[in-house]
Amino acid sequence: MYKQTLYKILKNHIKPNVLKKQNRYKKWEYGYNKDYDIIVISKTGEIGEIYEIQNLKIALPKENNVHKFESDTWKYTQYPKVLKKIKSVFDWEEYPLDFKEKWYNYIDEEFNRREKGFWFYNKGASTYITGTHYMYLQWSKIDVGQPDFRESNRLFFIFWEACKADSRSYGMCYLKNRRSGFSFMSSAETVNMATITSDARYGILSKSGPDAKKMFTDKVVPISVNYPFFFKPIQDGMDRPKTELAYRISASRLTRNA
C-alpha cells in the first residue's frame, strides 16, 4: 500500500498552551520564527498545522471559513458575466454607485484569498492552498483552460510560500518531470507578483533566448490578459507585447471611496 512521504504533519511541535495563547492574541508573525524553528506562512496572526517538507517546518494558517464546493473538491468559479465587460478600473469608475456596491464584497474577498490563501473541502478533508496557488487555479488561464487541482502542486506552492517568507532563503531548487505544469505555475507566479509589487522587475531565465521569449508570449502574457479588471494594473504599451509587460501602478483594492 502506497504511503506518501512528501510531507508529514508535526504533532505537538509547539506546546498546546503556547499555541493557544499565541493564536488568541494573533501573535504569530509571517516569516521565520527562530524560537520554534518554523516558517510562518500565515498572514492572520494564527497558525494551525505544521508541515515538514524537505526538512523545513512550515506553519500553515489556522483553519477558518472552509468553503464547500458541490463537487466536494476544488472547482473553478465562473467569473460573473457582468464584470467581464469591465476591462479596466477606468471603466469601473464610469458605472453607477449602486452597481458597484453590489460587487465590492466579491472583489474584496478575492483580494483576501489572494493575500491569505483559501480553505476548502477536498473529499471531506479541509484543505489549505496559498494565495499564489489560488491565483493559479482561479485566475490563470493555461493551454487546456483552467488548471486542475493537484496535491503535488499544493505542496509545491506551500514550500514556495515558505521560501518567500523566510528571510534566510535565497530561492528554491526544484527538480521536476515534464508535463508537471511548472512552466505555467511559474508564469502565473510571475504575473501575480509583478501585478502587486511596486518598483520591481521580474524576468524569465531559460536555456535560450527564443525559449524565454516563447514562454513570455505563450504563457505570461495570456495569463496577464485574462486577469479580471480589479487585479490588472494600469499598463503601458500594447495588451499583448512581444518582449515586456510594463505596469505603471500596481494593482490595489477598490474602495467605496474610490
Side-chain angles (χ1 to χ4, degrees), residues 4-200:
Q4 75 85 16
T5 56
L6 294 175
Y7 77 102
K8 60 182 178 181
I9 299 174
L10 302 180
K11 301 291 186 181
N12 299 320
H13 180 71
I14 301 172
K15 292 180 179 179
N17 61 319
V18 174
L19 180 63
K20 184 177 181 180
K21 182 179 179 181
Q22 292 287 88
N23 276 348
R24 182 192 308 157
Y25 296 106
K26 298 184 178 181
K27 290 286 189 176
W28 298 105
E29 294 184 2
Y30 180 81
Y32 178 65
N33 184 306
K34 64 180 181 181
D35 293 334
Y36 298 98
D37 189 31
I38 58 173
I39 304 168
V40 178
I41 64 171
S42 172
K43 296 181 179 179
T44 65
E46 299 176 287
I47 63 173
E49 290 182 327
I50 298 175
Y51 282 15
E52 183 174 85
I53 307 175
Q54 294 293 300
N55 297 319
L56 282 186
K57 300 175 183 65
I58 305 169
L60 273 59
K62 184 180 179 182
E63 183 179 317
N64 182 48
N65 193 26
V66 186
H67 185 84
K68 184 173 179 60
F69 295 102
E70 288 185 8
S71 58
D72 196 31
T73 186
W74 168 265
K75 184 175 177 59
Y76 165 72
T77 303
Q78 289 290 337
Y79 186 33
K81 290 183 179 180
V82 292
L83 295 184
K84 278 186 179 180
K85 300 176 183 178
I86 305 174
K87 302 303 180 183
S88 70
V89 291
F90 300 115
D91 294 340
W92 169 261
E93 290 171 357
E94 297 299 320
Y95 278 77
L97 181 61
D98 59 343
F99 173 87
K100 291 190 284 189
E101 284 287 349
K102 294 177 183 178
W103 295 106
Y104 275 126
N105 289 340
Y106 168 80
I107 294 171
D108 197 49
E109 181 60 26
E110 289 303 307
F111 270 98
N112 284 334
R113 293 175 179 183
R114 182 183 193 177
E115 180 184 1
K116 299 176 182 177
F118 180 66
W119 284 93
F120 70 100
Y121 285 107
N122 185 32
K123 298 181 180 179
S126 55
T127 302
Y128 174 76
I129 58 176
T130 66
T132 296
H133 194 184
Y134 179 81
M135 290 297 290
Y136 171 67
L137 290 172
Q138 176 62 28
W139 296 113
S140 299
K141 185 178 180 181
I142 65 174
D143 55 350
V144 294
Q146 296 304 134
D148 293 327
F149 171 79
R150 299 175 181 176
E151 176 66 6
S152 59
N153 290 354
R154 185 179 82 92
L155 298 176
F156 167 84
F157 278 113
I158 287 173
F159 191 89
W160 173 236
E161 189 66 34
C163 291
K164 292 192 292 183
D166 191 347
S167 59
R168 306 169 302 168
S169 173
Y170 285 92
M172 173 181 177
C173 292
Y174 181 60
L175 182 64
K176 71 177 189 67
N177 60 307
R178 290 186 59 78
R179 306 301 299 171
S180 64
F182 177 76
S183 294
F184 277 108
M185 289 192 294
S186 57
S187 296
E189 171 66 332
T190 300
V191 177
N192 177 47
M193 294 300 297
T195 52
I196 58 174
T197 311
S198 300
D199 301 322

